[in-house]
Amino acid sequence: MRIEIWADVVCAWAYIGKRRLEKALAGPARADAGAEVVWRPFRIDPTAPDQAIPIEEAYRDPLVDAALRQCAPGLSPAENRVRVSRIAADEGLGLEWGAAWRASSHDAHRLLHLAREHGSAALQNEVAEQVMKAHFIDGDDISDRRRLKMVAIRSGFAEGEELLDTDAGDREVRELLLIGKARGITTSPTIVVGDRALAGAQPPEAIADFLAGGDSKREMPEEVQRLRWAESLLGRHDPLGALALLKPLLDDHADDLNVRRIAARGYFHSAQLTRARDLLEQLIIDAPDDSYARLMLGRTLQRLGNESQASLHLKMATAMTPEFA
């Protein structure tokens, strides 16, 4: 069974969730079942500065304070920190607990990705352990590559020391963040098995019950899955993300009508109107009965200020599909 953990390594609940998952996997129901745990990136603080700042200074930022209050309604940030620290201690993470820095986790996610790519899921899991220990227990700035290199060495991933100085893993991590968004991941941690997801650092018993549901998943070609993810991002108002996921399909399957339709929507909703127009004009030549393509072309031409041509295509789209009126 493959168990994916979509989580941010600067999220306290991710570390707590890791311990709870380990307890669930060690239980009698799962002890001999075998499982591959794979860490996937999530960002709870995508606006964290490249240069880390002391956490106490960050807490004085009104925006950070407001975000923390939303995470724990009814509690002040200080009260919530005490609560989380107690829970962490109960999970065996020690009494000395708490991040010292508001730090970007991007390079840490690169290190996790590279550990699996160049090593194994087990190595990646150890890197995740050591990164979160550094952040929450040792008080290290994990956005500092010098610190991350030490983490890599302690984890048995010496190769990661040199890889961190390159852009290795950068594209893959950014793409995985988009895939997570397309799949509806909104909480750190979220455990995913097959097509099922369990959000939050649930108790070990709840995790064990979830895992007992198995890992059934509808298999589909990678190209179809990528197309669906791009559609999902459009539905989540992220046209640039949709285009980023769609790029390999545009490179390799540029003649596919579905690929071109979704790309045209991405260009339109990201205000790349000239690209949308060019793609749609060719699309209605190749598929003259595509009323939706004509509708999109008409709306694109409207936004480009070409009312006369826009009117022609909108009338044709309505005649073909009256619901477009």
Side-chain angles (χ1 to χ4, degrees), residues 6-7 43 92 112 117 126 144-145 234 279 323:
W6 294 80
R43 296 290 298 276
L112 262 69
E117 184 180 69
E126 179 60 22
D144 184 337
R145 288 187 181 178
L234 284 173
L279 196 57
E323 290 83 357

Side-chain angles (χ1 to χ4, degrees), residues 79-247:
E79 290 170 333
N80 187 49
R81 289 166 66 190
V82 171
R83 166 176 162 266
V84 174
S85 295
R86 288 173 178 166
I87 295 172
D90 290 343
E91 296 298 336
L93 293 171
L95 298 175
E96 295 298 325
W97 167 273
W101 301 90
R102 182 190 181 201
S104 169
S105 58
H106 182 72
D107 276 345
H109 285 302
R110 281 205 305 126
L111 185 63
L112 262 69
H113 176 80
L114 293 167
R116 183 167 184 268
E117 184 180 69
H118 293 267
S120 64
L123 176 60
Q124 184 192 48
N125 198 49
E126 179 60 22
V127 171
E129 173 70 28
Q130 293 301 324
V131 167
M132 289 189 284
K133 178 178 181 295
H135 182 67
F136 287 107
I137 297 176
D138 300 336
D140 285 344
D141 170 11
I142 62 166
S143 67
D144 184 337
R145 288 187 181 178
R146 294 172 299 177
R147 297 289 186 179
L148 276 181
K149 289 176 181 179
M150 294 172 63
V151 168
I153 293 171
R154 285 201 303 269
S155 305
F157 182 36
E159 189 177 357
E161 184 179 11
E162 293 185 3
L163 289 170
L164 279 171
D165 284 332
T166 71
D167 63 354
D170 182 79
R171 179 185 60 80
E172 291 85 351
V173 166
R174 294 184 189 279
E175 184 171 274
L176 282 167
L177 288 168
L178 291 173
I179 291 172
K181 183 177 181 180
R183 293 178 66 175
I185 306 297
T186 59
T187 301
S188 171
T190 295
I191 297 174
V192 175
V193 176
D195 291 323
R196 300 181 304 114
L198 180 68
Q202 302 291 337
E205 299 78 15
I207 296 174
D209 288 344
F210 173 75
L211 297 179
D215 59 354
S216 60
K217 181 179 181 180
R218 291 182 301 166
E219 295 297 331
M220 63 180 68
E222 181 182 347
E223 294 83 1
V224 175
Q225 185 67 81
R226 186 173 286 271
L227 199 66
R228 292 191 175 181
W229 286 334
E231 284 186 294
S232 175
L233 288 178
L234 284 173
R236 297 172 192 278
H237 309 293
D238 186 358
L240 292 177
L243 288 168
L245 289 186
L246 206 60
K247 187 179 184 306

